[in-house]
Amino acid sequence: MPSKEPKAYDGKRITVTYDTGRCLHAAECVRGLPEVFDTGQRPWVQPDGADPERVAEVIRRCPSGALQYRLADGPAEQGDRPTTVVRSPVGQLILRGELSVTTPQGVRSETRAMLCACGVSRNQPYCDHSGACGSE
């Protein structure tokens, strides 16, 4: 099942976008800033709940790239240099850097992505935990 258009949560100094189809529930966001990312609240993302630089720092921990940000007074997230590719213990490919990812919808510029390595994901090329490489 392909990702829908990411949902935007606008704050005064930062906009957070969330792509539900790419979220693998690593919970880096919830553990890192529960005052901003609270799954028990609606909306679950409150961008003004912390300093924008801190929100950006926590978002960069999201391994799947489901969360992204744009600072109101600055550029969008920049990819790590050098680009890195790491295989997780179960086979997923974890990428960080300046990425161009080819999807059924076209090429997407990315800074973080977790790609399916087993070929079973319904959200190709991204892992959605439906195959062997998403099992833990």
PDB file of all heavy atoms in Angstrom, residues 105-121:
ATOM      1  N   GLN A 105       5.829   6.384  -7.657  1.00  0.00           N
ATOM      2  CA  GLN A 105       5.322   7.726  -7.936  1.00  0.00           C
ATOM      3  C   GLN A 105       6.387   8.643  -8.536  1.00  0.00           C
ATOM      4  O   GLN A 105       6.103   9.784  -8.864  1.00  0.00           O
ATOM      5  CB  GLN A 105       4.776   8.368  -6.652  1.00  0.00           C
ATOM      6  CG  GLN A 105       3.561   7.673  -6.072  1.00  0.00           C
ATOM      7  CD  GLN A 105       3.896   6.384  -5.333  1.00  0.00           C
ATOM      8  OE1 GLN A 105       4.935   6.272  -4.696  1.00  0.00           O
ATOM      9  NE2 GLN A 105       3.019   5.408  -5.440  1.00  0.00           N
ATOM     10  N   GLY A 106       7.611   8.175  -8.654  1.00  0.00           N
ATOM     11  CA  GLY A 106       8.701   8.980  -9.202  1.00  0.00           C
ATOM     12  C   GLY A 106       9.860   9.062  -8.235  1.00  0.00           C
ATOM     13  O   GLY A 106       9.880   8.411  -7.190  1.00  0.00           O
ATOM     14  N   VAL A 107      10.821   9.883  -8.555  1.00  0.00           N
ATOM     15  CA  VAL A 107      12.020  10.034  -7.732  1.00  0.00           C
ATOM     16  C   VAL A 107      11.737  11.034  -6.622  1.00  0.00           C
ATOM     17  O   VAL A 107      11.175  12.105  -6.859  1.00  0.00           O
ATOM     18  CB  VAL A 107      13.218  10.496  -8.590  1.00  0.00           C
ATOM     19  CG1 VAL A 107      14.450  10.729  -7.724  1.00  0.00           C
ATOM     20  CG2 VAL A 107      13.521   9.464  -9.673  1.00  0.00           C
ATOM     21  N   ARG A 108      12.126  10.664  -5.400  1.00  0.00           N
ATOM     22  CA  ARG A 108      11.955  11.530  -4.231  1.00  0.00           C
ATOM     23  C   ARG A 108      13.313  11.857  -3.643  1.00  0.00           C
ATOM     24  O   ARG A 108      14.159  10.975  -3.500  1.00  0.00           O
ATOM     25  CB  ARG A 108      11.114  10.820  -3.157  1.00  0.00           C
ATOM     26  CG  ARG A 108       9.679  10.611  -3.555  1.00  0.00           C
ATOM     27  CD  ARG A 108       8.914   9.888  -2.484  1.00  0.00           C
ATOM     28  NE  ARG A 108       8.943  10.646  -1.228  1.00  0.00           N
ATOM     29  CZ  ARG A 108       8.079  10.463  -0.247  1.00  0.00           C
ATOM     30  NH1 ARG A 108       7.150   9.555  -0.349  1.00  0.00           N
ATOM     31  NH2 ARG A 108       8.166  11.178   0.846  1.00  0.00           N
ATOM     32  N   SER A 109      13.509  13.124  -3.291  1.00  0.00           N
ATOM     33  CA  SER A 109      14.707  13.527  -2.551  1.00  0.00           C
ATOM     34  C   SER A 109      14.458  13.205  -1.090  1.00  0.00           C
ATOM     35  O   SER A 109      13.408  13.542  -0.549  1.00  0.00           O
ATOM     36  CB  SER A 109      14.959  15.021  -2.719  1.00  0.00           C
ATOM     37  OG  SER A 109      15.305  15.291  -4.046  1.00  0.00           O
ATOM     38  N   GLU A 110      15.403  12.551  -0.465  1.00  0.00           N
ATOM     39  CA  GLU A 110      15.263  12.103   0.922  1.00  0.00           C
ATOM     40  C   GLU A 110      16.535  12.424   1.695  1.00  0.00           C
ATOM     41  O   GLU A 110      17.605  12.584   1.102  1.00  0.00           O
ATOM     42  CB  GLU A 110      15.049  10.587   0.984  1.00  0.00           C
ATOM     43  CG  GLU A 110      13.846  10.068   0.238  1.00  0.00           C
ATOM     44  CD  GLU A 110      12.554  10.237   0.991  1.00  0.00           C
ATOM     45  OE1 GLU A 110      12.574  10.757   2.135  1.00  0.00           O
ATOM     46  OE2 GLU A 110      11.518   9.864   0.449  1.00  0.00           O
ATOM     47  N   THR A 111      16.410  12.454   3.015  1.00  0.00           N
ATOM     48  CA  THR A 111      17.567  12.564   3.888  1.00  0.00           C
ATOM     49  C   THR A 111      17.735  11.305   4.736  1.00  0.00           C
ATOM     50  O   THR A 111      18.815  11.021   5.218  1.00  0.00           O
ATOM     51  CB  THR A 111      17.446  13.772   4.831  1.00  0.00           C
ATOM     52  OG1 THR A 111      16.247  13.642   5.594  1.00  0.00           O
ATOM     53  CG2 THR A 111      17.434  15.068   4.042  1.00  0.00           C
ATOM     54  N   ARG A 112      16.632  10.575   4.919  1.00  0.00           N
ATOM     55  CA  ARG A 112      16.637   9.333   5.696  1.00  0.00           C
ATOM     56  C   ARG A 112      15.613   8.388   5.090  1.00  0.00           C
ATOM     57  O   ARG A 112      14.528   8.810   4.702  1.00  0.00           O
ATOM     58  CB  ARG A 112      16.250   9.591   7.161  1.00  0.00           C
ATOM     59  CG  ARG A 112      17.282  10.377   7.918  1.00  0.00           C
ATOM     60  CD  ARG A 112      16.767  10.868   9.267  1.00  0.00           C
ATOM     61  NE  ARG A 112      15.901  12.026   9.056  1.00  0.00           N
ATOM     62  CZ  ARG A 112      14.597  12.045   9.317  1.00  0.00           C
ATOM     63  NH1 ARG A 112      13.998  11.015   9.831  1.00  0.00           N
ATOM     64  NH2 ARG A 112      13.887  13.126   9.077  1.00  0.00           N
ATOM     65  N   ALA A 113      15.944   7.111   5.027  1.00  0.00           N
ATOM     66  CA  ALA A 113      14.996   6.122   4.513  1.00  0.00           C
ATOM     67  C   ALA A 113      15.369   4.749   5.042  1.00  0.00           C
ATOM     68  O   ALA A 113      16.542   4.460   5.285  1.00  0.00           O
ATOM     69  CB  ALA A 113      14.989   6.106   2.993  1.00  0.00           C
ATOM     70  N   MET A 114      14.346   3.915   5.224  1.00  0.00           N
ATOM     71  CA  MET A 114      14.559   2.517   5.559  1.00  0.00           C
ATOM     72  C   MET A 114      13.920   1.719   4.422  1.00  0.00           C
ATOM     73  O   MET A 114      12.706   1.748   4.242  1.00  0.00           O
ATOM     74  CB  MET A 114      13.933   2.141   6.897  1.00  0.00           C
ATOM     75  CG  MET A 114      14.336   0.746   7.334  1.00  0.00           C
ATOM     76  SD  MET A 114      13.829   0.324   9.013  1.00  0.00           S
ATOM     77  CE  MET A 114      14.750   1.487   9.978  1.00  0.00           C
ATOM     78  N   LEU A 115      14.775   1.074   3.633  1.00  0.00           N
ATOM     79  CA  LEU A 115      14.304   0.387   2.447  1.00  0.00           C
ATOM     80  C   LEU A 115      14.140  -1.102   2.694  1.00  0.00           C
ATOM     81  O   LEU A 115      14.878  -1.712   3.465  1.00  0.00           O
ATOM     82  CB  LEU A 115      15.272   0.611   1.286  1.00  0.00           C
ATOM     83  CG  LEU A 115      15.534   2.063   0.911  1.00  0.00           C
ATOM     84  CD1 LEU A 115      16.450   2.123  -0.309  1.00  0.00           C
ATOM     85  CD2 LEU A 115      14.244   2.821   0.660  1.00  0.00           C
ATOM     86  N   CYS A 116      13.164  -1.675   1.993  1.00  0.00           N
ATOM     87  CA  CYS A 116      12.884  -3.103   2.069  1.00  0.00           C
ATOM     88  C   CYS A 116      13.985  -3.857   1.335  1.00  0.00           C
ATOM     89  O   CYS A 116      14.343  -3.510   0.211  1.00  0.00           O
ATOM     90  CB  CYS A 116      11.530  -3.385   1.427  1.00  0.00           C
ATOM     91  SG  CYS A 116      11.118  -5.138   1.345  1.00  0.00           S
ATOM     92  N   ALA A 117      14.508  -4.895   1.966  1.00  0.00           N
ATOM     93  CA  ALA A 117      15.545  -5.703   1.326  1.00  0.00           C
ATOM     94  C   ALA A 117      15.020  -7.077   0.922  1.00  0.00           C
ATOM     95  O   ALA A 117      15.698  -7.807   0.216  1.00  0.00           O
ATOM     96  CB  ALA A 117      16.747  -5.861   2.256  1.00  0.00           C
ATOM     97  N   CYS A 118      13.792  -7.420   1.354  1.00  0.00           N
ATOM     98  CA  CYS A 118      13.260  -8.750   1.037  1.00  0.00           C
ATOM     99  C   CYS A 118      12.290  -8.731  -0.130  1.00  0.00           C
ATOM    100  O   CYS A 118      11.921  -9.789  -0.637  1.00  0.00           O
ATOM    101  CB  CYS A 118      12.611  -9.372   2.269  1.00  0.00           C
ATOM    102  SG  CYS A 118      11.076  -8.572   2.805  1.00  0.00           S
ATOM    103  N   GLY A 119      11.844  -7.554  -0.562  1.00  0.00           N
ATOM    104  CA  GLY A 119      10.963  -7.446  -1.720  1.00  0.00           C
ATOM    105  C   GLY A 119       9.496  -7.677  -1.451  1.00  0.00           C
ATOM    106  O   GLY A 119       8.698  -7.736  -2.381  1.00  0.00           O
ATOM    107  N   VAL A 120       9.088  -7.778  -0.188  1.00  0.00           N
ATOM    108  CA  VAL A 120       7.701  -8.089   0.135  1.00  0.00           C
ATOM    109  C   VAL A 120       6.885  -6.849   0.512  1.00  0.00           C
ATOM    110  O   VAL A 120       5.668  -6.874   0.467  1.00  0.00           O
ATOM    111  CB  VAL A 120       7.640  -9.136   1.289  1.00  0.00           C
ATOM    112  CG1 VAL A 120       6.222  -9.474   1.679  1.00  0.00           C
ATOM    113  CG2 VAL A 120       8.371 -10.401   0.860  1.00  0.00           C
ATOM    114  N   SER A 121       7.511  -5.760   0.823  1.00  0.00           N
ATOM    115  CA  SER A 121       6.809  -4.553   1.262  1.00  0.00           C
ATOM    116  C   SER A 121       5.740  -4.131   0.260  1.00  0.00           C
ATOM    117  O   SER A 121       5.944  -4.171  -0.951  1.00  0.00           O
ATOM    118  CB  SER A 121       7.807  -3.404   1.447  1.00  0.00           C
ATOM    119  OG  SER A 121       7.126  -2.198   1.710  1.00  0.00           O
TER     120      SER A 121
END
